[in-house]
Amino acid sequence: MSIMRLGYVHVRVTDMEAARRHYSDTMGQKVVAEEPGKLYLKCWDEYDHHSVVLEEGGVGLVKLGYKVSRAEDLEQYEKALSAFGVTVERMSKGENLAVGDGIRFTSPSEHTFELYHEIEYLGTETGILNPESWPRDLRGVGAPRVDHALITAEDVETMERLFTEVFDWNVSERVIDNPADPMLIGTWMYCGMKVHDLAVIKGPQGKLHHFAYALEDWNAILKAGDLFAMDDVSVDIGPTRHGITRGTTIYFFDPSGNRNEVFAGGYPVYKDFPTITWTTDQLGKGIFYIQRELNDRFTTVLT
Ligand code: FE
């Protein structure tokens, strides 16, 4: 059984045309399909149909979609989720544009997750036969792919148990409040070899903190920052580095107020990676390694 990656992030936006400019012109994603009130976008180095869905009306997360490696995984996950006490429903081909049959569940954190195996293949912009390093007509940031998401939950421990016990994910890093009597404040979990695929921090139910695009390196992060200045993007913090994951980062907001991140770096993780632990007295350094303190926005603005 295996979940391979975050396949799509579906968010609400208040103003579709402003969102289109942000995700397409500034971030460089390509619009692959449009429906009334919905826009589907992919990054240049992604081969599946889409990785971001924008839906007009409001703000915040609609759902997260994760792709599994084998069709039979879906049935096994359906059983394992039920055994964990999570209600699961089947979703059919066509409920999501270009996505096949799958399962849908609401996590204990009240987020909607979808798991699927089939999604229409569009291919990357450089192809898979003698490809160039990157497409020369990149727009804006030219983000190659979507990377991870961070959501909030009242009970982080149960979310960590769900992903590690049901989906066999591992934990790269955790934040606890008191080593003598630990309560879990945050968990950074992975299903492949990237340092995290989903992180959960303590907070209100059902909220999105951010979703992130992976960029190549620190230079790309700095260049993204320049583009945010050119396009008047609201920047939360950065460029800087995370203590947790060691990634380099900028947090910023789309025009509706959904937080995005550009992220580069991190370290590879194997199934035997020994989890790193941070304590809350060092949380400032854990989140923003260089500044060593959290800004108010970072902890309070959620969508
Ligand atoms: Fe992140």
Side-chain angles (χ1 to χ4, degrees):
M1 303 202 298
S2 66
I3 294 177
M4 295 187 289
R5 63 175 173 275
L6 174 61
Y8 53 80
V9 181
H10 185 146
V11 291
R12 292 185 189 283
V13 295
T14 48
D15 178 340
M16 186 59 90
E17 285 319 301
R20 182 200 298 265
R21 285 194 294 277
H22 174 79
Y23 287 99
S24 181
D25 298 346
T26 302
M27 297 313 300
Q29 285 196 278
K30 183 174 175 182
V31 175
V32 291
E34 278 190 72
E35 290 174 344
K38 273 189 189 168
L39 209 58
Y40 298 81
L41 303 107
K42 78 188 273 294
C43 297
W44 71 263
D45 206 23
E46 291 169 338
Y47 31 88
D48 286 343
H49 186 270
H50 59 263
S51 57
V52 169
V53 182
L54 306 177
E55 183 171 335
E56 190 148 39
V59 65
L61 187 65
V62 177
K63 57 196 179 186
L64 295 170
Y66 287 82
K67 190 178 185 184
V68 303
S69 57
R70 300 176 311 167
E72 55 265 36
D73 295 340
L74 296 169
E75 236 168 85
Q76 293 180 47
Y77 282 148
E78 186 179 19
K79 286 188 196 127
L81 281 162
S82 299
F84 193 87
V86 170
T87 308
V88 189
E89 59 178 46
R90 297 262 175 112
M91 65 177 202
S92 331
K93 184 181 169 94
E95 278 185 53
N96 295 290
L97 180 70
V99 179
D101 294 339
I103 57 173
R104 180 184 298 124
F105 65 94
T106 304
S107 62
S109 60
E110 296 172 21
H111 296 87
T112 303
F113 287 87
E114 291 178 340
L115 304 181
Y116 60 96
H117 171 61
E118 278 177 32
I119 179 168
E120 207 175 298
Y121 177 91
L122 291 184
T124 70
E125 285 184 34
T126 49
I128 50 171
L129 180 65
N130 307 322
E132 303 296 353
S133 301
W134 38 271
R136 61 193 305 156
D137 58 349
L138 285 180
R139 278 185 319 281
V141 172
R145 66 196 77 86
V146 164
D147 189 75
H148 67 265
L150 193 163
I151 58 176
T152 58
E154 284 172 5
D155 179 355
V156 178
E157 193 113 32
T158 300
M159 287 298 284
E160 189 184 86
R161 274 187 44 234
L162 173 72
F163 277 80
T164 55
E165 291 176 17
V166 173
F167 300 131
D168 196 31
W169 285 28
N170 291 76
V171 180
S172 52
E173 309 213 16
R174 307 173 97 204
V175 176
I176 57 170
D177 60 344
N178 172 9
D181 179 22
M183 179 171 71
L184 192 58
I185 305 295
T187 181
W188 281 252
M189 300 179 288
Y190 62 93
C191 55
M193 285 195 61
K194 295 185 301 159
V195 68
H196 62 332
D197 292 281
L198 177 70
V200 184
I201 56 170
K202 202 166 173 56
Q205 295 283 89
K207 293 291 186 184
L208 174 70
H209 186 278
H210 69 268
F211 70 92
Y213 296 86
L215 301 190
E216 190 166 9
D217 56 19
W218 170 244
N219 288 335
I221 296 283
L222 185 63
K223 186 179 169 198
D226 290 341
L227 282 151
F228 298 157
M230 293 180 204
D231 290 356
D232 204 21
V233 172
S234 169
V235 171
D236 185 3
I237 189 167
T240 185
R241 183 198 279 281
H242 293 303
I244 297 167
T245 73
R246 289 184 220 146
T248 53
T249 177
I250 304 174
Y251 286 117
F252 53 101
F253 296 99
D254 77 6
S256 305
N258 295 301
R259 189 187 281 97
N260 301 157
E261 179 187 21
V262 284
F263 177 91
Y267 48 82
V269 281
Y270 301 87
K271 291 300 272 182
D272 63 346
F273 183 78
T275 301
I276 290 169
T277 299
W278 295 77
T279 50
T280 44
D281 59 316
Q282 295 296 311
L283 188 59
K285 195 170 175 181
I287 301 289
F288 300 126
Y289 186 69
I290 299 167
Q291 290 79 6
R292 281 157 285 144
E293 61 183 350
L294 299 177
N295 66 34
D296 283 346
R297 264 194 316 272
F298 184 83
T299 49
T300 56
V301 177
L302 305 165
T303 59

